[in-house]
Amino acid sequence: METNETTYSSAIRELEEIVTEIESGEVDVDVLTVKVKRASELIKFCKDNLKGTRKTVNKVLDDIKATEDEA
């Protein structure tokens, strides 16, 4: 599970590391299960982060447009 220190950038780096390890073909099956589960958690974290960022950006843009329309 993510910690409070998890950022989008750190999640992407960790995902890249997991992919590299899996692609090496040297990951034990038991470890592979854990890595795939962690990758799934990180992907969800990143998707949620991007959705939140998109909402925030759209709100800011809407606020700017509303301010321009008032002027």
Side-chain angles (χ1 to χ4, degrees):
M1 200 73 169
E2 294 85 28
T3 64
N4 291 337
E5 293 85 33
T6 301
T7 64
Y8 181 84
S9 295
S10 67
I12 292 295
R13 276 192 304 274
E14 187 175 349
L15 275 168
E16 289 171 345
E17 290 171 8
I18 290 170
V19 168
T20 299
E21 290 175 33
I22 291 171
E23 287 179 341
S24 75
E26 297 180 14
V27 177
D28 181 74
V29 173
D30 296 324
V31 174
L32 178 62
T33 302
V34 172
K35 297 230 176 250
V36 168
K37 183 177 181 211
R38 177 62 179 157
S40 175
E41 293 169 352
L42 291 167
I43 290 167
K44 182 182 179 332
F45 172 83
C46 289
K47 285 175 68 174
D48 291 348
N49 188 291
L50 289 171
K51 285 178 188 176
T53 298
R54 186 180 75 213
K55 285 180 183 179
T56 300
V57 168
N58 285 338
K59 182 178 180 340
V60 169
L61 293 175
D62 289 345
D63 291 347
I64 290 170
K65 184 169 177 5
T67 302
E68 289 174 349
D69 290 345
E70 293 173 0

